[in-house]
């Protein structure tokens, strides 16, 4: 399970169209993907792809390692490849209940004592609604 902050960072990293496109391509590939392949998938340079891919690694969405892809490499080091991280992220946005707020405010106006500040009446009614809901 990941922390709330890690989840927020992961979602924020996917807010950029190019990153989201590369992430989807890598998830769909079902195998490690090179920078060149990811760049080609979204139509950008290898260098720009490397920047965005490393952001996805930092956000915890991808894993990176060096691996020879498709055969034996005789010169230089193996290329960096990317694959989905084994981390799951879940986002939950609590539902809003504007009807509850409206009911609290209507009850506060209806039950306010003469001279009672509106804030005090609203807090009193909010407490009563909370107690009733609990």
């Amino acid at each position: 399970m990941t922390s709330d902050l890690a989840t927020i960072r992961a979602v924020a990293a996917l807010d950029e169209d190019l990153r989201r496109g590369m992430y989807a391509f890598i998830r769909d590939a079902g195998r490690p993907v090179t920078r060149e392949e990811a760049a080609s998938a979204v139509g950008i340079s290898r260098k720009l792809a490397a920047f965005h891919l490393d952001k996805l690694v930092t956000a915890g969405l991808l894993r990176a390692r060096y691996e020879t892809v498709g055969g034996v490499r005789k010169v230089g080091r193996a290329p960096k490849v990317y694959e989905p991280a084994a981390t799951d992220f879940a986002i939950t946005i609590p539902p809003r209940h504007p009807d509850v707020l409206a009911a609290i405010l209507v009850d506060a106006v209806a039950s306010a004592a003469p001279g009672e500040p509106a804030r005090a009446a609203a807090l009193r009614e909010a407490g009563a609604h909370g107690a009733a809901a609990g």
Side-chain angles (χ1 to χ4, degrees):
M1 192 70 168
T2 59
S3 73
D4 290 342
L5 185 55
T7 300
I8 291 168
R9 286 183 178 144
V11 171
L14 292 172
D15 187 42
E16 212 288 327
D17 291 339
L18 293 173
R19 280 186 217 140
R20 195 170 46 255
M22 285 188 288
Y23 180 70
F25 173 74
I26 292 168
R27 296 234 7 132
D28 293 342
R31 61 173 175 75
V33 173
T34 65
R35 288 176 176 172
E36 290 79 10
E37 291 172 312
S40 177
V42 295
I44 59 174
S45 71
R46 179 189 171 284
K47 188 172 184 175
L48 183 56
F51 169 79
H52 287 295
L53 290 167
D54 288 341
K55 290 282 187 185
L56 292 170
V57 169
T58 300
L61 292 165
L62 297 178
R63 289 185 314 156
R65 59 188 162 85
Y66 293 95
E67 176 184 293
T68 301
V69 179
V72 178
R73 186 169 182 91
K74 295 182 180 180
V75 179
R77 72 176 176 192
K80 198 171 193 179
V81 295
Y82 299 85
E83 58 192 351
T87 306
D88 290 329
F89 295 94
I91 298 173
T92 305
I93 299 173
R96 294 180 182 242
H97 300 286
D99 55 321
V100 174
L101 175 60
I104 291 169
L105 295 177
V106 167
D107 289 348
V109 169
S111 69
E116 181 181 19
R119 183 176 194 278
L123 289 173
R124 179 178 33 76
E125 286 301 321
H129 278 259

